[in-house]
Amino acid sequence: MADSEQAERVGRRARGGGGAARRAERTAVRVEFARYITRNIPDMEILNEEALQIIEHNAETVLEEIGVNFVENPAALDLWREAGADIEGERVRIPRGLARKLCATAPSQFTQAARNPERNVEIGGRNLVLAPVYGPPFVRDNHGGRRYATITDFRNFVKLGQMSKWLHHSGGTVCEPTDVAVNKRHLDMLHAHMTLSDKPYMGSVTEPSRAADSVEMSKILFGSDFVDQNTVMTSLININSPLTFDATMMGALEVYARANQACIISPFIVGGAMAPVSVAGTLTQVLAEVLAGVAYSQLIRPGAPVIFGAFVTSIDMNSGAPTFGTPEASLITLGAGQLARRLGLPYRSAGGFTGSKLPDAQAAYESANTLNNGLYAGVNFMLHACGWLEGGLVSSYEKYVMDADQLGVLHRLAQGVDVTENGQAMDAIREVGPGGHYLGCAHTQANFKDAFWRTNLLDYRPFETWEEQGGLDTMALAEKRVAKMLGDYQPPALDPGIAEALTDYVARKKAAEPDAFM
Amino acid sequence: MADSEQAERVGRRARGGGGAARRAERTAVRVEFARYITRNIPDMEILNEEALQIIEHNAETVLEEIGVNFVENPAALDLWREAGADIEGERVRIPRGLARKLCATAPSQFTQAARNPERNVEIGGRNLVLAPVYGPPFVRDNHGGRRYATITDFRNFVKLGQMSKWLHHSGGTVCEPTDVAVNKRHLDMLHAHMTLSDKPYMGSVTEPSRAADSVEMSKILFGSDFVDQNTVMTSLININSPLTFDATMMGALEVYARANQACIISPFIVGGAMAPVSVAGTLTQVLAEVLAGVAYSQLIRPGAPVIFGAFVTSIDMNSGAPTFGTPEASLITLGAGQLARRLGLPYRSAGGFTGSKLPDAQAAYESANTLNNGLYAGVNFMLHACGWLEGGLVSSYEKYVMDADQLGVLHRLAQGVDVTENGQAMDAIREVGPGGHYLGCAHTQANFKDAFWRTNLLDYRPFETWEEQGGLDTMALAEKRVAKMLGDYQPPALDPGIAEALTDYVARKKAAEPDAFM
């Protein structure tokens, strides 16, 4: 465990002399962070070679015979025509093999830099980077219930992310700050990620101009040259499934690809609505869509970093409601991982998904199903790894810390089994012998501190103790942990000149146009 | 899905004429049951060949150099001596390779017959049989809280098992009926399984004489000849880890093996206490213990059906409490599966484990972690698949139906991906095209009924509807489902002569000795 973790001590600022400094030292808050996961275990390969070839063949058939639509985007049609595609109106039909060939220039792994280089992440290969929930218009906490999200909530979630040991990435729209104008909220969101966290973050995709703001603000934070030469953002470009690429998302993709910034190119699938009800059919459509989207990114700029995305949920055929943590979605997540690896692309899928309205047992079953299968699917970038509630409508404070705690389980699982001499523990077995007890033996003494993953949340106390102390359920324990983490939070140091320049940029851009709430 | 499921209609008994019969038909309860799982997906192989060989080599070293104790069992020592082991006091040292050679006569797969042949289960191979929680002295329900279990609770849990679609096995001590004398409760427990359920069941192991009663009662239920020629019980023989085989458990094993009845031979490991704190060290000890136990079963009767068991939990090194759903236990479960397959033995492990005191989010995360890893570990017999709470001290009514619902997820995952022409769904993709909608297309219409696993418990309604209807969490939903299932329960038909003979046997045995509560 020691290899993949580092700890730092964030001292509360000592305001007085030696006595105050000593008091400060005693109350110092230990903020731990874990390096991104590097898997030492195999992937779960649920599709055999024949199934993979069928799906790959069918995806090419979809691109060649049916094609995809690039909507309100004549320049994209020109690029595709030039590359050899057949254009009819907004329909782009891509000859068999062309999209896959174009995808070949995309890197199989890339570094996303953070402003604190210790937080840099490697996306691709055997690695798994964990990022929080993205997009909910509502928040929920145990005390205040469900309500529209504000910029204060947004900042709280960024702070929780900074304080969460097992989270490698600050994410993007951790909730929608609905009290800020739609045309300006990206500025406040980026400002929060850049100043309240030193983990990597995502850029805005809701308008090409907002993507451009994201690049500009990143240049202030990192320096212009650095941003030109490094990937400092990974942003989420959804495909309008089935088979449609809209102008807004493609506009943002174009901005990012030209700036050599990374994009997740991600079909957004509610199975049975935006894709067939069958797993193989959905995988076929996902692959066709990603092939077309990634190929397009490489037409914009060969070598631009991209991620093979797959956001997949099923539908409840009785009510039409989306469902999460279901086996069909897990099978798609596992299968799409194989398709991504065969394409040589980093893979984004899974997360702590649930359809539940509360962070209750339903939420936990569904999230654990998705988290476990995400690990075994070989996911490289897991958005929504913590905090997701109610089908993505709600960012939940309590669920955030519950999921974030479980992410530690994934870290340890991914390490696999240590078969060094110490791991084999033959001396311990010899020392203890039949009928003995391992608690006191030398091997246990030497290894117990790092032997087992330890929760920061869950309750292992005996029933009687637990009951005497209030008999709290996980929601109540999580509520306490949220309060503690926000109370302990301290912003990571940032050059005052950079902080001022970021604040100025936001103020200037906000003043330049009237508020819009559409 | 249709292949692995069968449904039957259990009509409430019509007590009157045509009108009553029609009313009965309208209110008939549909009791569904699913066949045991046959995996169409690969296993998760976390140990590579080198790691496997190290562990297998070390396990033989343990048997040869350290040995195991067969306590208060001179006949066992004689058998071992005759087989070529080195005996010193109660210590049995087994020459390298001998135990593995003796294990070779154990079948790799066997049928456990149920009194309803449609409920027969195949244990081993690619199959997974799911059985409920075993052993808790307490029960808990949402309304009544936590209390000592009674025979009424026991019967309720057997009824829930009979009514649970995804549960293949009625289990054994679904809770301890603490209101019945210790020396007589096995009779009431067997009677309940035999009369209230028609699924397969487990025998008593707490005394050799109680194992003998289990065989006798099974002969009444199935007929003597049938029991001589078929396996009708799978019973749980725990090894007293580390490396100790006590006389009670071995006595029960001897009774069952001689009667050709199946036993799970299962180390009971709290890692850090009964085994080393390391995964590889624990796997080594588990393998050594199972090799010795299975070899002994084959000394009793070559060919007797047995299962490679591994009950594994970690320990919280701060409090000494056992912990569940942790990554170290998952790694051991996955690794032990590989060791069992290399031995050619059916494998028992995993379950819906948790240390939580309530069926809350903690319980669900921990249980889902274990259930998912149990499936991927290639487990063939999963005891504790539903109802386990508080580290196994409590059988929870609500958790039983929560877990039992999630077992449906495992069924669907295990089916893997259908790549038939229908599964490929190319016609659907062609029909819908870019920007379309799959809800109404022909492929969706033809397939939607069986396309997705469906919960019988979880809530997918929109927030507003859910809130209007009381805003119930999973515990409250589960409480309602428990009441409905117990209300709908009907006993499966049983020959009145057999029922009477079973009741007589129990009465006669109970009258033959005074109650004992120790």
Side-chain angles (χ1 to χ4, degrees):
Chain A
M1 196 98 83
D3 275 3
S4 64
E5 285 174 32
Q6 299 174 56
E8 58 179 347
R9 202 166 271 277
V10 178
R12 292 183 187 277
R13 195 177 302 164
R15 290 192 184 74
R22 279 192 300 276
R23 277 194 302 280
E25 176 62 22
R26 280 198 301 274
T27 60
V29 173
R30 196 177 167 78
V31 177
E32 294 182 302
F33 72 98
R35 213 195 65 157
Y36 55 86
I37 292 172
T38 300
R39 286 180 183 79
N40 194 29
I41 56 172
D43 303 309
M44 184 76 191
E45 312 270 357
I46 54 148
L47 299 171
N48 60 25
E49 181 63 27
E50 187 198 353
L52 287 162
Q53 288 187 12
I54 288 171
I55 290 166
E56 287 173 344
H57 177 86
N58 286 350
E60 296 282 358
T61 303
V62 168
L63 292 175
E64 183 167 62
E65 294 181 13
I66 305 169
V68 297
N69 283 359
F70 274 73
V71 180
E72 297 172 5
N73 197 342
L77 300 177
D78 289 344
L79 275 176
W80 272 118
R81 190 180 291 109
E82 211 171 296
D86 172 46
I87 312 298
E88 184 186 339
E90 294 187 321
R91 185 70 60 97
V92 178
R93 289 191 179 80
I94 306 168
R96 188 171 293 275
L98 173 60
R100 186 170 285 264
K101 194 176 140 211
L102 290 169
C103 289
T105 53
S108 59
Q109 182 171 327
F110 63 91
T111 306
Q112 180 182 354
R115 71 166 163 104
N116 177 348
E118 290 183 351
R119 265 63 157 176
N120 288 0
V121 291
E122 283 293 316
I123 299 178
R126 303 300 304 154
N127 306 315
L128 170 56
V129 173
L130 300 167
V133 60
Y134 186 105
F138 298 99
V139 295
R140 178 174 197 107
D141 66 55
N142 222 3
H143 189 72
R146 184 184 190 262
R147 58 186 190 275
Y148 275 104
T150 65
I151 189 67
T152 304
D153 291 310
F154 189 97
R155 291 180 184 134
N156 281 339
F157 279 107
V158 173
K159 291 175 184 176
L160 288 178
Q162 175 70 5
M163 297 291 285
S164 293
K165 173 176 179 179
W166 308 111
L167 204 68
H168 317 116
H169 203 283
S170 195
T173 309
V174 288
C175 61
E176 278 287 346
T178 61
D179 55 342
V180 180
V182 168
N183 58 335
K184 300 178 182 179
R185 59 178 68 148
H186 67 288
L187 299 164
D188 284 349
M189 292 195 280
L190 284 160
H191 189 269
H193 283 299
M194 291 176 174
T195 58
L196 302 178
S197 173
D198 63 359
K199 296 183 180 180
Y201 58 87
M202 304 172 76
S204 176
V205 296
T206 50
E207 282 290 345
S209 67
R210 297 173 197 157
D213 279 336
S214 307
V215 174
E216 287 310 307
M217 288 179 71
S218 294
K219 287 181 176 173
I220 297 172
L221 185 65
F222 288 92
S224 262
D225 287 354
F226 190 89
V227 173
D228 284 341
Q229 290 155 32
N230 294 277
T231 296
V232 301
M233 280 180 287
T234 296
S235 304
L236 178 61
I237 303 296
N238 279 327
I239 297 170
N240 199 350
S241 303
L243 302 169
T244 305
F245 296 79
D246 70 49
T248 302
M249 282 285 162
M250 288 305 101
L253 169 66
E254 290 155 15
V255 170
Y256 286 126
R258 285 194 192 105
N260 206 28
Q261 298 304 309
C263 286
I264 306 165
I265 298 183
S266 200
F268 183 92
I269 306 259
V270 180
M274 290 87 141
V277 289
S278 67
V279 169
T282 299
L283 284 170
T284 300
Q285 185 182 308
V286 163
L287 179 57
E289 292 177 349
V290 170
L291 280 168
V294 170
Y296 181 64
S297 74
Q298 302 303 302
L299 290 177
I300 298 292
R301 173 167 171 163
V306 284
I307 299 176
F308 180 131
F311 176 91
V312 178
T313 148
S314 309
I315 198 169
D316 175 28
M317 296 308 272
N318 292 324
S319 64
T323 58
F324 296 89
T326 58
E328 295 80 15
S330 293
L331 289 169
I332 294 167
T333 297
L334 292 164
Q338 295 180 259
L339 298 170
R341 287 190 289 282
R342 284 161 71 102
L343 255 177
L345 291 176
Y347 175 45
R348 170 262 165 144
S349 194
F353 294 138
T354 178
S356 186
K357 270 65 70 183
L358 294 171
D360 59 1
Q362 174 176 348
Y365 281 118
E366 293 176 339
S367 295
N369 287 347
T370 327
L371 292 173
N372 280 288
N373 280 294
L375 176 70
Y376 293 153
V379 167
N380 300 116
F381 188 87
M382 193 190 291
L383 197 57
H384 310 299
C386 60
W388 167 290
L389 195 68
E390 204 191 306
L393 287 174
V394 172
S395 292
S396 158
Y397 281 87
E398 284 82 13
K399 179 122 184 310
Y400 194 104
V401 301
M402 289 181 192
D403 290 336
D405 188 64
Q406 285 291 305
L407 298 181
V409 174
L410 302 190
H411 279 73
R412 180 67 187 85
L413 264 181
Q415 286 178 22
V417 179
D418 168 18
V419 288
T420 61
E421 201 171 307
N422 184 58
Q424 294 177 43
M426 286 297 282
D427 287 349
I429 301 176
R430 284 195 180 90
E431 181 184 340
V432 172
H437 213 289
Y438 285 87
L439 282 178
C441 80
H443 182 265
T444 301
Q445 294 297 316
N447 289 280
F448 81 91
K449 275 190 186 159
D450 292 326
F452 300 125
W453 166 76
R454 269 180 288 182
T455 181
N456 281 313
L457 174 70
L458 306 179
D459 192 291
Y460 298 148
R461 291 169 299 170
F463 174 75
E464 292 73 15
T465 321
W466 167 82
E467 196 181 37
E468 273 167 31
Q469 294 173 11
L472 301 183
D473 69 5
T474 320
M475 272 193 238
L477 294 172
E479 184 179 1
K480 285 172 175 246
R481 181 153 172 80
V482 168
K484 170 150 179 49
M485 288 171 79
L486 291 178
D488 285 349
Y489 171 79
Q490 297 233 334
L494 180 61
D495 179 291
I498 291 175
E500 200 184 326
L502 286 170
T503 304
D504 287 351
Y505 185 91
V506 169
R508 188 160 44 79
K509 293 293 287 193
K510 280 188 167 182
E513 56 178 306
D515 286 358
F517 273 93
M518 283 283 289
Chain B
M1 196 99 84
D3 275 3
S4 65
E5 286 174 31
Q6 299 174 57
E8 59 179 344
R9 203 166 269 276
V10 178
R12 291 183 186 277
R13 196 177 303 166
R15 291 193 183 73
R22 279 192 299 277
R23 278 194 301 281
E25 176 63 21
R26 280 197 300 275
T27 60
V29 174
R30 194 176 168 78
V31 177
E32 293 181 303
F33 72 99
R35 212 196 64 158
Y36 56 86
I37 292 172
T38 301
R39 287 181 184 78
N40 194 29
I41 56 173
D43 303 309
M44 185 76 191
E45 312 270 357
I46 53 148
L47 299 172
N48 60 24
E49 181 63 27
E50 188 198 353
L52 287 162
Q53 287 186 13
I54 288 171
I55 291 166
E56 287 172 345
H57 178 85
N58 286 350
E60 296 282 359
T61 303
V62 168
L63 292 175
E64 183 167 62
E65 294 181 14
I66 305 170
V68 297
N69 282 358
F70 274 73
V71 179
E72 297 172 6
N73 197 343
L77 300 178
D78 290 343
L79 275 176
W80 273 118
R81 190 179 292 108
E82 211 172 298
D86 172 47
I87 310 300
E88 183 187 340
E90 294 187 323
R91 184 71 59 94
V92 178
R93 290 192 179 79
I94 306 168
R96 188 171 293 275
L98 174 59
R100 186 170 285 263
K101 193 176 142 213
L102 290 169
C103 289
T105 53
S108 60
Q109 182 171 326
F110 63 89
T111 305
Q112 181 183 352
R115 71 166 162 103
N116 177 347
E118 290 183 351
R119 266 63 156 176
N120 288 359
V121 291
E122 283 293 316
I123 299 177
R126 302 302 302 154
N127 306 315
L128 170 57
V129 173
L130 300 167
V133 60
Y134 186 105
F138 298 99
V139 295
R140 177 174 197 108
D141 66 57
N142 221 2
H143 189 72
R146 183 183 191 264
R147 58 186 189 275
Y148 275 103
T150 65
I151 189 68
T152 303
D153 292 309
F154 189 97
R155 291 180 184 133
N156 281 339
F157 280 108
V158 173
K159 291 176 183 176
L160 288 178
Q162 175 71 4
M163 297 291 285
S164 294
K165 174 175 178 179
W166 307 112
L167 204 68
H168 317 116
H169 203 283
S170 195
T173 310
V174 288
C175 61
E176 278 287 346
T178 60
D179 54 343
V180 180
V182 168
N183 57 334
K184 300 178 181 178
R185 57 178 69 148
H186 66 288
L187 300 164
D188 284 349
M189 293 195 279
L190 284 160
H191 189 270
H193 283 299
M194 291 176 175
T195 59
L196 302 177
S197 172
D198 63 359
K199 296 183 180 180
Y201 58 87
M202 304 171 76
S204 176
V205 297
T206 49
E207 280 291 344
S209 67
R210 297 172 197 158
D213 279 336
S214 307
V215 174
E216 287 310 305
M217 287 177 72
S218 294
K219 287 182 175 173
I220 297 172
L221 184 66
F222 287 92
S224 260
D225 287 355
F226 190 89
V227 172
D228 284 341
Q229 289 154 32
N230 294 276
T231 296
V232 301
M233 281 180 286
T234 297
S235 304
L236 178 61
I237 302 296
N238 280 327
I239 297 170
N240 199 350
S241 302
L243 303 170
T244 304
F245 296 79
D246 69 49
T248 303
M249 282 284 162
M250 288 304 103
L253 168 66
E254 290 155 15
V255 170
Y256 286 126
R258 283 193 193 105
N260 206 27
Q261 300 302 309
C263 287
I264 306 165
I265 298 182
S266 201
F268 183 93
I269 306 258
V270 179
M274 289 87 139
V277 289
S278 68
V279 170
T282 300
L283 284 169
T284 300
Q285 184 182 309
V286 163
L287 179 57
E289 292 177 349
V290 171
L291 280 168
V294 170
Y296 181 64
S297 75
Q298 302 303 302
L299 290 177
I300 297 292
R301 175 168 169 162
V306 284
I307 299 177
F308 180 131
F311 176 91
V312 178
T313 149
S314 308
I315 198 168
D316 175 27
M317 296 308 271
N318 292 324
S319 64
T323 59
F324 295 90
T326 57
E328 294 80 16
S330 293
L331 290 169
I332 293 167
T333 298
L334 293 164
Q338 295 180 258
L339 298 171
R341 287 190 289 281
R342 284 160 71 103
L343 254 177
L345 290 176
Y347 175 45
R348 170 263 164 140
S349 194
F353 294 138
T354 178
S356 186
K357 269 65 71 183
L358 294 170
D360 59 1
Q362 173 176 349
Y365 281 118
E366 292 176 339
S367 294
N369 287 347
T370 326
L371 292 172
N372 279 287
N373 281 296
L375 177 69
Y376 293 154
V379 167
N380 299 116
F381 188 87
M382 193 190 290
L383 196 57
H384 310 300
C386 61
W388 167 289
L389 195 69
E390 205 191 305
L393 286 175
V394 172
S395 292
S396 158
Y397 280 88
E398 284 82 14
K399 179 126 184 307
Y400 194 103
V401 301
M402 290 181 192
D403 290 336
D405 188 64
Q406 285 290 305
L407 299 181
V409 174
L410 303 190
H411 280 73
R412 180 67 187 85
L413 264 182
Q415 286 178 23
V417 179
D418 168 18
V419 289
T420 61
E421 202 171 307
N422 184 58
Q424 293 176 43
M426 285 298 281
D427 287 348
I429 302 176
R430 285 196 179 89
E431 181 184 340
V432 172
H437 213 288
Y438 284 86
L439 281 177
C441 81
H443 183 265
T444 302
Q445 294 297 317
N447 290 281
F448 80 92
K449 276 190 185 159
D450 293 326
F452 301 124
W453 166 76
R454 270 180 288 183
T455 181
N456 281 314
L457 174 69
L458 306 179
D459 192 291
Y460 299 148
R461 290 170 299 170
F463 173 75
E464 293 73 15
T465 321
W466 168 81
E467 196 181 37
E468 273 166 32
Q469 294 174 12
L472 301 183
D473 68 4
T474 320
M475 271 193 238
L477 293 172
E479 184 179 0
K480 284 172 175 246
R481 182 154 171 80
V482 168
K484 172 151 177 50
M485 288 171 79
L486 291 178
D488 285 350
Y489 170 80
Q490 298 232 332
L494 180 62
D495 180 292
I498 291 175
E500 199 185 325
L502 287 170
T503 305
D504 287 351
Y505 185 90
V506 169
R508 189 159 44 81
K509 293 293 287 195
K510 281 188 167 183
E513 56 179 307
D515 285 359
F517 274 92
M518 282 285 287

